[in-house]
Amino acid sequence: MPRHVACVMDGNGRWAQRRSLPRTAGHRAAETTVIDIIEAARTAGVQWLSLYAFSTENWSRPGTEVDYLMRLVRRVVRKHAPLLLARGIRCRFLGATDPRIPRELAQDFDDLATLTAGNQGMTLTVAFDHGGRRDIVEAARSLIRTGTPADEVTERLFADHLPFPDTPDVDLVIRTSGEQRISNFMLWQVAYAEWVFPEVLWPDFRAPDFLACLHTYRRRDRRFGGVPPRTNGDTS
């Protein structure tokens, strides 16, 4: 079982387009999938689940769509906070620093994180206004501000300056809709992740699809750049 699963929730717009609906309809339909996958991951024993909800690049989308997303996310957070608390899920928000985020939504993020901080179950990280490159740049700036000599910088020390440094590396990334891109998502943490690219669009993605991705992961041979022990040193 992967300890940390991350999902790039892709395909909302195409889901709506195929039904001759506005893109906002795809985002609205995605709510059901989000709750379904959270429940599926928790039940399956996944300890960390990260969802890519809004990237730093998504600010370039039409203003009407961005405004709708802000309102939708606020409604979803407020609606499902009791469920997340009852399920023992600890919630975090990765990013969420842009001043364009409505003050009320930022407060809802803070409130949910505080409400669930003591939960001991699965940790749910919602990447909102997130950019992997930005996180790396900010970690470098943090090291510089602390006056750390260059020769003393190690991968472990660098990782300690990333947001939520206790987050383990991602084991499995699921990107729906068949697209095969990283899209600036948790660049440091996905360095040795396995990737699965189901064709299904995110609003149609359900627990059986998620479990199928876990099954695919369990069939993978993770070598982290090495070779299986049985062949180590065998030059034949």
Side-chain angles (χ1 to χ4, degrees), residues 4-216:
H4 186 178
V5 178
C7 296
V8 181
M9 305 183 291
D10 199 8
N12 295 350
R14 276 165 286 167
W15 184 93
Q17 184 179 35
R18 291 177 185 179
R19 291 161 176 76
S20 300
L21 298 170
R23 288 176 56 85
T24 52
H27 298 314
R28 187 167 61 250
E31 176 186 349
T32 300
T33 301
V34 168
I35 300 305
D36 200 43
I37 298 314
I38 291 173
E39 286 283 88
R42 184 187 66 86
T43 303
V46 173
Q47 298 177 37
W48 298 74
L49 177 67
S50 296
L51 303 178
Y52 201 8
F54 192 85
S55 74
T56 51
E57 292 76 25
N58 287 155
W59 290 108
S60 64
R61 293 186 176 186
T64 53
E65 181 178 352
V66 171
D67 290 343
Y68 178 84
L69 281 168
M70 298 296 159
R71 295 194 302 272
L72 175 65
V73 170
R74 187 174 188 219
R75 182 181 65 79
V76 170
V77 167
R78 294 171 69 88
K79 175 182 176 182
H80 296 289
L83 173 68
L84 296 168
L85 178 64
R87 293 290 190 268
I89 297 172
R90 178 175 60 162
C91 300
R92 293 174 164 183
F93 294 89
L94 178 62
T97 60
D98 196 290
R100 288 173 289 185
I101 296 175
R103 184 181 68 257
E104 297 82 4
L105 177 56
Q107 185 62 56
D108 287 339
F109 287 166
D110 289 342
D111 289 345
L112 182 57
T114 301
L115 178 69
T116 62
N119 284 352
Q120 301 295 314
M122 184 179 74
T123 296
L124 171 66
T125 301
V126 178
F128 193 91
D129 179 40
H130 162 70
R133 285 182 172 179
R134 183 178 66 184
D135 285 353
I136 290 172
V137 168
E138 288 300 323
R141 289 173 174 170
S142 177
L143 282 164
I144 292 169
R145 284 193 293 268
T146 62
T148 304
D151 290 343
E152 294 182 10
V153 177
T154 62
E155 290 187 9
R156 181 64 265 171
L157 180 61
F158 189 92
D160 286 342
H161 287 259
L162 290 167
F164 304 130
D166 61 329
T167 302
D169 284 347
V170 177
D171 298 303
L172 170 65
V173 182
I174 301 168
R175 180 168 188 147
T176 55
S177 85
E179 297 290 340
Q180 300 183 14
R181 296 186 301 276
I182 298 177
S183 296
N184 198 20
F185 180 45
M186 300 183 80
L187 296 179
W188 183 273
Q189 296 88 343
V190 303
Y192 269 101
E194 298 291 326
W195 289 73
V196 178
F197 302 102
E199 293 291 332
V200 62
L201 303 177
W202 180 257
D204 291 328
F205 193 69
R206 290 293 181 269
D209 304 301
F210 181 81
L211 296 177
C213 292
L214 298 187
H215 182 66
T216 298

